[in-house]
Amino acid sequence: MSTAPEPRPALVFDDPLDRPSQDDTDRGWGERPAADAAADLARFLDEKPPHHL
């Protein structure tokens, strides 16, 4: 039983820097969606370094 070889993936010669990466968006840097003042305060208190107590 002979089978045809699977086609190889095509080479892509485009510039990879033309495509956006996750770092190009706020989401890629771990930013959270806009929230109200209470949520901002809660985030500040959650992420505050221990020496700022």
Side-chain angles (χ1 to χ4, degrees):
M1 186 158 135
S2 66
T3 59
E6 293 185 24
R8 297 174 71 183
L11 294 176
V12 179
F13 292 102
D14 62 345
D15 186 1
L17 298 178
D18 286 341
R19 296 181 298 230
S21 70
Q22 282 191 340
D23 288 345
D24 293 336
T25 64
D26 288 340
R27 187 171 202 157
W29 287 94
E31 290 294 321
R32 298 178 184 168
D36 59 355
D40 288 340
L41 177 61
R43 177 181 177 192
F44 171 76
L45 294 174
D46 287 343
E47 296 180 358
K48 184 170 44 171
H51 63 274
H52 285 150
L53 294 177

